[in-house]
Amino acid sequence: MIKIVIDDTAGYCFGVRNAIKQSEAILEEDEYLYSLGHIVHNETEVNRLKTKGLEVIDHEQLKTLKNSKVLIRAHGEPPSTYETAYKNNIVLIDATCPIVKHLQKNISERTALNEETNSQVVIYGKKDHPEVIGLVGHAEGNALMIATSEDIKNINPGKDVHLYAQTTMNPEDFTRIAKEIRAYLTEYDPVNSRQVFEHNTICRQVSNRVEGLKIFASSHDLLLFVSGRQSSNGKFLFSICKEVNPKSYHIENKDDINKNWFENIKSVGISGATSTPTRQLSEVADFLKILFL
Ligand code: SF4
């Protein structure tokens, strides 16, 4: 018999939970609600909300919409979205996560000081990620976005660097990038190199799970990690599982499960991203029970 255990630290982070709750509350009163982009990087959850009346729109559709209600998801939006909404008489249901809001404000205030402090704002994140697009927008075009070590060459070596991170980046990668930027500035001017100020803005809701997840993943013969393929924190947290337990599998839902994985397996751990509700973890556990118990 296989032992099946759900990670009790898994489930929605408060930012995503709040966005889902707000959308559900509106959909109880109204027949539909527009969401600017997928409310969460989790296809299964988006489909569940679509059946309740959630309609996903993009920024082009927002421009043509008038007199409606539109939800801003936890990732946040650049100021241009608020301007479009104002022009088109759109009521925004702003579910931007408070942590992201705080980061947007910090970046906006910091970039305003660029000139007088001879510094520059650099945001380490994933190219085209909605949160990063929002952050760059709040910098009013005065921040440089970098996604890889390759991009460091675009930094002006004659100015101090204020380095920020997208909230779901890997903390070790952030530290490495900061080190590489320092090396780049020193190489340019070994005597009076400019400084790097690290603002580690990675969300603790993600990074605080790392140690516990390592213990959980390594204490089972096999680990199923449930999350949308596009979820940044999902990719990161899954990589942690894989590191400590090679028999870790990333699945979106029970349909991705392959029975052949379970040969000689005595215990299975089930965990997920901050965008995976515990309901989805239970569904996977129930499916395994039907298969193996
Ligand atoms: S991961 Fe953190 S920053 Fe992102 S939505 Fe959740 S609580 Fe907010």
Side-chain angles (χ1 to χ4, degrees), residues 22-242:
Q22 287 203 48
S23 69
E24 284 179 324
I26 288 172
L27 288 169
E28 293 217 338
E29 306 279 318
D30 298 351
E31 279 178 12
Y32 66 89
L33 170 67
Y34 294 113
S35 164
L36 188 53
H38 282 184
I39 187 166
V40 59
H41 287 151
N42 180 331
E43 205 61 32
T44 312
E45 194 56 0
V46 170
N47 288 338
R48 183 184 71 83
L49 290 166
K50 276 182 180 171
T51 64
K52 293 183 173 225
L54 192 78
E55 285 187 37
V56 181
I57 57 165
D58 60 25
H59 289 81
E60 284 312 305
Q61 288 168 298
L62 181 77
K63 286 180 194 159
T64 61
L65 214 61
K66 298 232 167 14
N67 312 317
S68 297
K69 265 186 205 166
V70 175
L71 180 114
I72 291 185
R73 57 193 168 173
H75 292 317
E77 284 292 319
S80 55
T81 297
Y82 294 84
E83 285 154 22
T84 305
Y86 181 74
K87 264 202 311 227
N88 292 2
N89 198 30
I90 289 169
V91 175
L92 289 178
I93 314 298
D94 194 349
T96 305
C97 173
I99 293 177
V100 176
K101 264 243 180 290
H102 186 66
L103 176 55
Q104 290 173 341
K105 184 169 170 280
N106 283 353
I107 286 180
S108 163
E109 288 172 358
R110 191 67 243 173
T111 46
L113 298 171
N114 272 357
E115 225 171 276
E116 72 179 81
T117 56
N118 192 29
S119 60
Q120 61 200 312
V121 167
V122 175
I123 302 167
Y124 173 53
K126 298 222 158 71
K127 198 168 174 280
D128 299 330
H129 189 283
E131 181 189 313
V132 174
I133 294 171
L135 296 176
V136 171
H138 283 269
E140 293 182 19
N142 293 317
L144 174 74
M145 185 259 159
I146 60 168
T148 64
S149 310
E150 264 297 290
D151 298 333
I152 291 176
K153 62 178 182 311
N154 300 326
I155 294 174
N156 181 342
K159 292 181 174 199
D160 287 341
V161 172
H162 282 269
L163 179 65
Y164 293 83
Q166 178 188 331
T167 54
T168 46
M169 297 309 274
N170 177 337
E172 284 171 16
D173 288 345
F174 179 75
T175 306
R176 177 184 49 78
I177 282 282
K179 215 167 141 189
E180 287 175 14
I181 296 173
R182 273 198 190 91
Y184 164 78
L185 299 183
T186 309
E187 195 185 344
Y188 177 77
D189 185 346
V191 182
N192 288 311
S193 77
R194 307 303 307 200
Q195 293 190 66
V196 178
F197 298 93
E198 282 178 49
H199 303 269
N200 185 339
T201 47
I202 293 165
C203 175
R204 302 297 178 260
Q205 293 269 315
V206 181
S207 59
N208 282 354
R209 283 194 51 202
V210 170
E211 289 315 311
L213 191 56
K214 277 184 186 170
I215 295 168
F216 182 76
S218 57
S219 62
H220 296 282
D221 297 336
L222 183 142
L223 191 282
L224 293 178
F225 189 88
V226 188
S227 89
R229 302 255 175 238
Q230 298 309 318
S231 164
S232 285
N233 82 83
K235 284 181 202 162
F236 166 55
L237 293 174
F238 173 66
S239 73
I240 299 293
C241 298
K242 194 81 185 164

